[in-house]
């Protein structure tokens, strides 16, 4: 239900005043290096805090300086051992970011980026001690803020790097910092 409400919100934002704006839809794919600031679990060291991930996204640039972007992000399953205790963790997230673009130079090949958004994070931790397995999940919303740069190779192809900070409402997680590098294709 939450996914449908989020997608409906994105669709309504994208649809308002479409005729009066210069709409440029795009899709993208990013590699993400995700760094989780997690608490210890029952006095034992925490879960794997550095995870590789991918992110797919779709957005609309409504003006040369503003746009909106929806994303889905999935991490690998990280594993950390503490003696006889083995912990595995992963998360996925989806949401919407408002994007700001500041073109540099007269050719506008390079742009500085800023983002402010909201994401829904769903985390899972599995633990195993001497053959006894447990699983815990938690989810919550998180505010995201980011900065980066984009290089426009052509009118349709661009490469992007960004850093994002997310303050998430998940038990045992203080925040998540993502370093991303990816490509965008504009229609």
């Amino acid at each position: 239900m939450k996914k449908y409400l989020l997608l409906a919100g994105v669709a309504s934002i994208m649809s308002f005043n479409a005729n009066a704006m210069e709409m440029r839809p795009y899709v993208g794919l990013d590699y993400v290096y995700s760094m989780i600031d997690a608490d210890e679990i029952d006095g034992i060291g925490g879960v794997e805090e550095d995870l590789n991930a991918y992110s797919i996204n779709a957005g609309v640039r409504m003006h040369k300086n503003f746009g909106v972007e929806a994303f889905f992000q999935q991490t690998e399953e990280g594993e950390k051992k503490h003696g006889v205790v083995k912990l595995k963790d992963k998360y996925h997230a989806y949401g919407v970011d408002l994007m700001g673009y500041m073109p540099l130079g007269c050719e506008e090949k390079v742009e500085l980026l800023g983002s402010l958004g909201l994401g829904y994070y769903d985390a899972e931790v599995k633990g195993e001690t001497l053959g006894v397995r447990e699983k815990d999940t938690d989810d919550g919303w998180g505010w995201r803020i980011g900065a980066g740069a984009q290089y426009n190779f052509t009118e349709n192809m661009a490469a992007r790097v960004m850093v994002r900070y997310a303050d998430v409402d998940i038990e045992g997680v203080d925040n998540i910092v993502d370093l991303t590098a990816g490509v965008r294709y504009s229609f």
Side-chain angles (χ1 to χ4, degrees):
M1 181 67 171
K2 294 175 191 173
K3 290 179 188 178
Y4 297 120
L5 290 174
L6 182 64
L7 291 174
V10 170
S12 64
I13 288 172
M14 290 180 184
S15 66
F16 80 93
N17 250 349
N19 294 335
M21 292 186 261
E22 149 192 341
M23 303 289 267
R24 293 278 327 238
Y26 62 87
V27 294
L29 179 64
D30 294 328
Y31 163 76
V32 182
Y33 183 72
S34 192
M35 298 171 285
I36 304 168
D37 184 8
D39 299 336
E40 290 186 353
I41 299 171
D42 297 330
I44 300 172
V47 296
E48 178 59 50
E49 297 175 340
D50 298 330
L51 300 173
N52 295 305
Y54 72 89
S55 176
I56 55 175
N57 43 65
V60 175
R61 194 159 171 174
M62 296 175 262
H63 182 273
K64 83 174 200 174
N65 298 107
F66 302 103
V68 63
E69 182 174 292
F71 73 92
F72 173 80
Q73 180 174 321
Q74 176 70 54
T75 68
E76 67 179 343
E77 185 172 72
E79 184 175 308
K80 202 167 192 182
K81 293 183 180 182
H82 305 281
V84 296
V85 177
K86 181 170 47 172
L87 297 173
K88 294 182 179 182
D89 64 315
K90 65 180 179 178
Y91 77 88
H92 68 267
Y94 54 88
V96 177
D97 291 320
L98 299 176
M99 301 294 298
Y101 302 87
M102 187 171 77
L104 300 178
C106 45
E107 289 187 34
E108 298 183 358
K109 290 274 188 190
V110 177
E111 298 175 299
L112 296 180
L113 306 173
S115 68
L116 179 63
L118 182 65
Y120 187 75
Y121 292 79
D122 190 5
E124 177 182 286
V125 176
K126 297 177 187 174
E128 183 177 337
T129 307
L130 302 172
V132 177
R133 295 181 181 157
E134 290 187 40
K135 179 177 157 182
D136 189 22
T137 60
D138 195 9
D139 51 26
W141 291 96
W143 288 101
R144 300 163 34 106
I145 187 166
Q150 179 168 292
Y151 183 80
N152 299 305
F153 295 106
T154 67
E155 187 176 309
N156 299 87
M157 287 298 298
R160 177 187 287 187
V161 293
M162 288 195 78
V163 60
R164 282 195 180 86
Y165 173 88
D167 183 15
V168 297
D169 184 25
I170 295 177
E171 184 179 342
V173 176
D174 295 324
N175 61 66
I176 299 172
V177 175
D178 291 330
L179 304 176
T180 69
V183 292
R184 300 290 181 277
Y185 180 80
S186 297
F187 298 98

